[in-house]
Amino acid sequence: MPRYSETVIDHVQSPRNHGRLDSPDAVGLAGARRRGRFVEFHLHIEDGRVAKALFQSDGCGPTIASASVLSEMITGKSVEQCRAITVDQLLDVLGGLPPNKRQSATLAFDALQEALDDYAAGGA
């Protein structure tokens, strides 16, 4: 059995939605920039829906894949729908991760939750 799914490998080799927004409506960071692994989401929200989701990450391949897949999962969804996404759903879309790499999905998920909290508090 391969260590990583085709989805994980594809998103590691060609991450989607990588970058920063110049004027995001919300920003969420999980981890610590310049001190280890991190994921940061920048969201542009229009009419209560995620119109654009970009991420930055410094981490292993599964961390990058997790953020990339999650950015695709949330684009076009309402803030409420984004809040309803779970780490287990992210892991399912990824095709699973080895037990010692599941924290990669949690890191991306936590960054999204921080961004949604930022939006609820009035934005970036």
Side-chain angles (χ1 to χ4, degrees):
M1 179 175 187
R3 181 170 166 98
Y4 296 111
S5 71
E6 288 182 25
T7 300
V8 170
I9 292 168
D10 181 41
H11 280 265
V12 169
Q13 292 175 341
S14 300
R16 276 64 144 190
N17 304 311
H18 185 264
R20 299 175 60 112
L21 292 171
D22 289 331
S23 298
D25 298 307
V27 176
L29 174 67
R33 284 183 165 281
R34 295 188 269 302
R35 288 183 277 161
R37 294 180 321 123
F38 76 89
V39 173
E40 183 175 70
F41 271 103
H42 286 220
L43 305 180
H44 175 59
I45 300 173
E46 291 180 5
D47 299 323
R49 294 193 170 276
V50 176
K52 191 161 196 162
L54 297 183
F55 78 93
Q56 291 189 307
S57 179
D58 185 15
C60 61
T63 299
I64 293 166
S66 294
S68 177
V69 165
L70 190 55
S71 73
E72 288 189 326
M73 288 175 69
I74 65 173
T75 300
K77 290 200 170 37
S78 71
V79 171
E80 293 79 23
Q81 289 171 315
C82 293
R83 283 231 184 255
I85 294 171
T86 66
V87 174
D88 287 337
Q89 289 172 322
L90 174 56
L91 286 166
D92 285 345
V93 174
L94 286 164
L97 289 174
N100 66 327
K101 292 296 183 179
R102 289 179 189 237
Q103 75 275 10
S104 296
T106 301
L107 192 67
F109 177 81
D110 289 348
L112 172 61
Q113 295 307 308
E114 287 289 324
L116 296 172
D117 289 347
D118 182 48
Y119 179 71

